[in-house]
Amino acid sequence: MCGIVGYIGNNAIKNTITGLKNLEYRGYDSSGIAYIKNNKVIIKKEVGRIDNLLTNLDYDNSVNIAIAHTRWATHGEANKTNAHPHKVGKITLVHNGIIENYEKLKEDLTDYSLISDTDTEVIAALIDKLYNKYSDMKLVLSKVTNLLKGSYALAIINDDIKDKMFAIRKDSPLIVGYDNKSTIIASDIPAILHVTKKYYLLNNYDILEISSNKLNIYDKDLNKIVKEENTYDADSTTISKDGYEHYMLKEINEEPDIFKNILDKYIINDKIVDIYDISKYENIEIVACGSATHAGLIGKYYIENLASIKTSVYYASEYRYQKHIYNQKTLVIVISQSGETADTKEALKIANEANLDTLAIVNVYKSSIARLAKNVIYTHAKIEVAVATTKAYMAQCLILLLLALKVNPDKTIINELHNIPNIMKKYIKKDYKEIASVISNYDHIFYLGRLVDYYLALEGSLKLKEISYIHSEAYPAGELKHGTISLMDNNVLVIAIVTDNKIKDKTISNIKEITARGAKVIAITNDNREFSDYKVLIEDNILIPFITIIPMQLIAYEVAKIKKCDIDKPRNLAKSVTVE
Ligand code: AGP
């Protein structure tokens, strides 16, 4: 998703670019910066990586106001004309979000000759037109809130007011960081940490008027508001690779410590503490997107098997539009690493509007979803930079297991939890390059499993395809013979997750049906028997899903390395999908 940064203070160009680079992980295809120098607004924008923007950039350290943007194309292709910032008349701005009524608004802006395909340029024209009428930016932004439909986080500079920057948000994330000499606004925490750890969270329609020594925040009725101060509790090294080749590899290596930190936080003297009690519910609906949905399925497995509560899992983009049959004994759990995913946020609003109890399992502190839900449990996985989630997914699975253990504190499982970090470390140390080289030769791969192994297969398949660009799909092993087995031939590779002792013999039978038709099979399994062409052997364990995810993640990583893909920032992807 797009990222915006705005900065007022010393060395504005350098500080804005540093912030922008710390938003790269959100995914983008072009970037740009605007700054005020010698009383003029200078704009530079380029397609591709931020490094293209930095070539021949004028790092004049006397500049003290700048705004910048990374664009993930929604309206109009990735080219310089559509890249932000957009300048119309006196207004220059950058935007994260989607304006749903921009074509309608354009009809009333015929006195402007717009040159891009973007909704953002329409916003700039609208603000310029209103400013020419009212000459008061705060009043203009208040009026804009009644005209724009959709989502937006805007950072704005005005030719007439060269010592100020303005901002406003609705549904797209925006925070404001400050210290005694500068103010920085950005889409996410990583973009401000090189300047300050102190920040305010902004609500919808908050209007910011920022000068070098003053930050005023107003509501949409232009009443001045005072915000609660927040201090980010980790050091700014959190957003460095710490010597690893990729953020994804660093974050996989962090998993054992994160697992342990979560146990330390939520298990005291073998008692589950500070975890929401789900025992009173008859029905749980878990709603999420992507990998968070796959974590939800692991949650279903544990909640149904340990707490005996009926649990259903839904993709948020489907859930939003389906028929809902609720009773007041329903709990809706939303899971989101970023806490900003639009579909998940809208699904949560449906549950809130139905007056249901809601629980958010979120990684980003005080993110929109965390603030919207009636209850929240943080995953404490620290900042996750790689677009392909690993440690946050694992943390989500662990929190869901703890929810189940809160209801049924199975001693054997609670004891075994403490062994998992060291076991994870063992499998992180193993070498998966050979198996990855086999996989890298195929264009079509199926991940198979049954029940919890199928839920793991879904995540393994998504990890592989999103960073290596190899077509892959996960399938319930028992379902294959109902059609899809027609695809099995020697051009296909199957990766079978075979760890659930209660059901693995059935999966092994399916594997034999597959090998009989020429497809090669890699088994990720705790079973020593010979039933596949290749095997990644993992030790049996009552909590084996938490072990299995390590080889699955590292295999995907090694394949993507062989394919020379952009592992931390895969093409077309965004870390936080704040649009629908
Ligand atoms: C996972 O590797 C993907 N990047 C993606 O599926 C992600 O899990 C999904 O977009 C949900 O994001 P969220 O957890 O921030 O809501």
Side-chain angles (χ1 to χ4, degrees), residues 289-292 335-341 344 369 387-390 396 459 462-463 466 573-577:
C289 298
S291 291
I335 306 173
S336 177
Q337 188 285 130
S338 63
E340 298 298 343
T341 300
T344 308
I369 289 172
V387 167
T389 183
T390 50
Q396 291 160 0
E459 178 57 14
L462 178 59
K463 276 297 89 48
E466 70 175 318
L573 295 190
K575 181 63 181 171
S576 169
V577 184

Side-chain angles (χ1 to χ4, degrees), residues 209 214-219 221-226:
E209 179 188 45
K214 198 151 186 50
L215 164 63
N216 292 322
I217 305 177
Y218 304 87
D219 65 19
D221 301 321
L222 298 183
N223 304 306
K224 215 177 230 187
I225 40 184
V226 178

Side-chain angles (χ1 to χ4, degrees), residues 445-461:
I445 294 172
F446 284 85
Y447 277 75
L448 297 183
R450 285 174 178 253
L451 294 178
V452 72
D453 283 341
Y454 168 56
Y455 305 155
L456 291 164
L458 283 163
E459 178 57 14
S461 172

Side-chain angles (χ1 to χ4, degrees), residues 291-555:
S291 291
T293 320
H294 304 153
L297 287 164
I298 299 294
K300 167 186 170 71
Y301 171 72
Y302 283 120
I303 293 169
E304 289 188 337
N305 283 283
L306 287 173
S308 304
I309 302 173
K310 176 83 189 104
T311 303
S312 309
V313 181
Y314 303 91
Y315 288 114
S317 54
E318 292 289 297
Y319 186 84
R320 292 179 60 187
Y321 305 104
Q322 71 188 43
K323 170 79 178 156
H324 298 288
I325 302 157
Y326 292 134
N327 67 38
Q328 286 317 306
K329 292 229 177 238
T330 297
L331 169 68
V332 173
I333 299 175
V334 292
I335 306 173
S336 177
Q337 188 285 130
S338 63
E340 298 298 343
T341 300
D343 284 321
T344 308
K345 186 159 60 173
E346 293 308 314
L348 172 58
K349 288 179 186 172
I350 291 172
N352 281 343
E353 281 149 22
N355 282 321
L356 294 178
D357 288 347
T358 54
L359 167 65
I361 298 175
V362 174
N363 195 40
V364 176
Y365 184 61
K366 291 203 177 177
S367 50
S368 302
I369 289 172
R371 291 187 278 161
L372 265 175
K374 290 174 189 150
N375 306 280
V376 61
I377 299 178
Y378 287 108
T379 47
H380 299 287
K382 297 190 298 182
I383 289 179
E384 185 175 68
V385 176
V387 167
T389 183
T390 50
K391 61 178 184 173
Y393 160 79
M394 180 281 294
Q396 291 160 0
C397 295
L398 179 54
I399 294 292
L400 289 157
L401 169 57
L402 294 177
L403 277 173
L405 287 170
K406 172 87 178 178
V407 176
N408 172 6
D410 179 301
K411 282 256 168 295
T412 313
I413 292 179
I414 291 174
N415 291 337
E416 186 57 29
L417 279 169
H418 301 289
N419 298 327
I420 295 300
N422 284 337
I423 298 173
M424 280 178 160
K425 285 177 187 166
K426 216 161 61 176
Y427 289 89
I428 287 173
K429 287 200 184 89
K430 288 184 183 297
D431 188 332
Y432 301 95
K433 291 185 182 62
E434 191 188 325
I435 210 83
S437 66
V438 170
I439 295 169
S440 63
N441 294 320
Y442 284 84
D443 297 323
H444 301 284
I445 294 172
F446 284 85
Y447 277 75
L448 297 183
R450 285 174 178 253
L451 294 178
V452 72
D453 283 341
Y454 168 56
Y455 305 155
L456 291 164
L458 283 163
E459 178 57 14
S461 172
L462 178 59
K463 276 297 89 48
L464 178 72
K465 66 183 139 182
E466 70 175 318
I467 62 174
S468 73
Y469 313 151
I470 295 177
H471 168 247
S472 150
E473 61 181 285
Y475 227 84
E479 184 60 17
L480 209 63
K481 54 189 171 299
H482 300 285
T484 305
I485 200 165
S486 67
L487 298 178
M488 294 299 143
D489 63 22
N490 54 14
N491 298 314
V492 167
L493 178 68
V494 168
I495 300 175
I497 314 297
V498 192
T499 70
D500 184 336
N501 293 320
K502 295 187 299 303
I503 202 162
K504 65 185 176 184
D505 288 346
K506 297 282 185 196
T507 308
I508 291 170
S509 311
N510 298 138
I511 290 171
K512 287 177 180 154
E513 292 157 6
I514 293 161
T515 48
R517 287 162 175 81
K520 290 283 184 263
V521 175
I522 295 170
I524 300 179
T525 181
N526 54 353
D527 194 303
N528 284 304
R529 288 175 288 179
E530 286 309 316
F531 52 79
S532 60
D533 301 283
Y534 307 90
K535 181 176 289 197
V536 176
L537 194 58
I538 49 179
E539 64 198 73
D540 195 20
N541 187 292
I542 191 170
L543 290 168
I544 197 165
F546 291 94
I547 302 170
T548 307
I549 59 177
I550 299 295
M552 274 194 334
Q553 291 171 347
L554 285 171
I555 285 168

